[in-house]
Amino acid sequence: MTERANDAADGDRQPWQAGAGRNRGKRTVTYADAGVSIHAGERAVELLKNKVRRASRPEVMGDLGGFAGLFRLDAKKYKNPILASSTDGVGTKLVIAQQLNIHDTVGIDLVAMVVDDLVACGAEPLFLLDYIACGEVEPEKVAEIGAGIADGCRYAGCALLGGETAEHPGVLRPDEYDLSATGVGVVDEEDILGRDRVEVGDVVIAMRSSGLHSNGYSLVRHVLLGAGRMRLETVVEEFGRQRTLGEELLTPTKIYAKDCLGMIAECEVRALAHVTGGGIPGNLVRVLPDHVDAVVNRSTWKPQSIFELVQAKGRIEDPEMESTFNMGVGMFAIVSAADADRALAFLAGRGVDAWHAGEIIEGTGTVQMIGQHTRG
């Protein structure tokens, strides 16, 4: 890490010496009196170090403890390297983690939201920097959060290059925290994916989500925990395996980065659409040129039970569901028709649940949702 590790990297060495000052012999106000514990932050870093070191890449330079993370970009690998960047957070899914006192999954969500935006343009995620703001630094809790972030980086193949943990007493409650991260990736200019590559006749491939991912949780909490008066500890039969509502809501967001990069290397991929806030229509439309439409057939898949539960409890109309949630699809790939079967076979070989969900036709740059989801 960068600044987060700076104090801990020096151990007990104190590179300065305080002067006597004007209040020698008197009780003075300290940073701890204001609610900030430097020692707690140092302890959190020590607990994180091993996890962070495993979330690395050969291009990372130096060790933990510098003011900035260093990454040697091998420009010789690219004809014309273009850097891509993305920033995101986890949103109010964090409220569920804080209520259940489970903190080792939301870091994976954080990484997923960033790296899968990067890969949507064809970029390989290189490194990520995180920011954790706490009402009170509890070393073990911060270590759990950081461990999830490090795990997510390993799943995505990127390095956790740096970060910061900040204590904000008086702004956040002692048990509250918020997360954000920024990621950087690289792609050759000639390989950038996007709407200019999409053609009539291309195939739309859907990749199944792991559930709600990290979007729409304000609505979920309102209809299930508020108006619906459900408890996070409630076992929901439809989820199977004696799974509670809380466990379902904390299911980590699936990370598609490595799968998509592998598919790009093997097949003619035109565009990728990461399905986050705005749902399927709101994200797929972002990769469509003005002269085509994407036709997505709902009958090709069944959303997970959590979506049915939210819709039933909240009496939510279909258009509102589809504009808020991923409805069971976390990523779309638009591929050439000639490579569609090859792309599906490649994803199946990597254990990704994917299917032919639609096609690209002549149109006006819109998404046409047709058919009805399968039931039962």
Side-chain angles (χ1 to χ4, degrees), residues 161 195 212 218 226 307 320 325 355:
L161 190 61
R195 64 180 67 199
L212 290 167
S218 293
F307 298 103
E320 183 68 17
F325 303 108
W355 63 93

Side-chain angles (χ1 to χ4, degrees), residues 28-309:
T28 61
V29 176
T30 67
Y31 210 180
D33 293 329
V36 178
S37 171
I38 294 174
H39 298 299
E42 292 173 348
R43 172 63 178 157
V45 172
E46 287 298 324
L47 293 173
L48 267 173
K49 277 186 174 180
N50 288 336
K51 274 281 189 178
V52 173
R53 286 195 176 102
R54 289 198 291 270
S56 188
R57 289 173 55 117
E59 301 96 327
V60 175
M61 298 176 63
D63 202 354
L64 307 179
F67 285 98
L70 301 177
F71 189 97
R72 188 192 302 275
L73 178 64
D74 184 3
K76 295 178 182 178
K77 292 173 57 177
Y78 310 92
K79 295 179 181 178
N80 190 12
I82 302 296
L83 294 179
S85 63
S86 177
T87 278
D88 213 333
V90 181
T92 61
K93 185 173 187 174
L94 295 178
V95 175
I96 307 298
Q98 290 159 20
Q99 289 176 338
L100 290 174
N101 197 30
I102 297 174
H103 312 286
D104 59 351
T105 61
V106 289
I108 299 173
D109 293 297
L110 179 64
V111 176
M113 299 303 287
V114 173
V115 298
D116 284 339
D117 275 357
L118 290 175
V119 81
C121 70
E124 176 187 2
L126 297 176
F127 59 83
L128 181 137
L129 301 102
D130 68 273
Y131 181 84
I132 305 174
C134 308
E136 177 182 329
V137 171
E138 297 179 31
E140 289 74 19
K141 181 188 294 186
V142 172
E144 287 183 51
I145 298 168
I149 298 172
D151 285 341
C153 286
R154 288 193 298 105
Y155 302 154
C158 68
L160 180 53
L161 190 61
E164 173 72 6
T165 300
E167 197 162 26
H168 291 169
V171 178
L172 299 170
R173 293 195 311 267
D175 61 330
E176 285 183 324
Y177 59 85
D178 199 4
L179 307 178
S180 66
T182 296
V184 173
V186 64
V187 59
D188 241 321
E189 185 170 11
E190 66 181 25
D191 296 328
I192 295 174
L193 303 182
R195 64 180 67 199
D196 58 311
R197 292 175 176 253
V198 177
E199 301 176 0
V200 172
D202 287 345
V203 169
V204 179
I205 290 176
M207 296 174 233
R208 183 169 291 279
S209 68
S210 56
L212 290 167
H213 283 185
S214 299
N215 301 102
Y217 272 76
S218 293
L219 179 56
V220 168
R221 291 186 301 110
H222 174 70
V223 301
L224 297 185
L225 307 180
R229 301 193 178 189
M230 295 185 69
R231 296 176 59 84
L232 294 173
E233 300 81 9
T234 301
V235 173
V236 180
E237 183 179 349
E238 291 81 359
F239 297 161
R241 295 177 294 135
Q242 291 294 299
R243 190 169 173 84
T244 67
L245 176 61
E247 289 172 328
E248 178 65 30
L249 295 183
L250 282 187
T251 302
T253 304
K254 181 169 177 57
I255 296 176
Y256 301 93
K258 282 187 174 181
D259 303 316
C260 289
L261 289 172
M263 180 174 56
I264 291 168
E266 293 290 329
C267 311
E268 184 63 34
V269 178
R270 316 282 202 195
L272 294 169
H274 185 201
V275 183
T276 55
I280 292 172
N283 286 281
L284 191 52
V285 73
R286 297 163 68 179
V287 296
L288 298 181
D290 293 338
H291 65 281
V292 307
D293 284 357
V295 179
V296 177
N297 192 337
R298 300 183 188 93
S299 69
T300 60
W301 82 94
K302 179 182 184 300
Q304 293 92 330
S305 298
I306 184 62
F307 298 103
E308 295 181 20
L309 178 66

Side-chain angles (χ1 to χ4, degrees), residues 322-345:
E322 289 190 337
S323 66
T324 305
F325 303 108
N326 66 60
M327 298 305 293
V329 178
M331 183 75 80
F332 281 104
I334 299 177
V335 304
S336 69
D339 268 8
D341 288 343
R342 186 177 183 183
L344 287 169

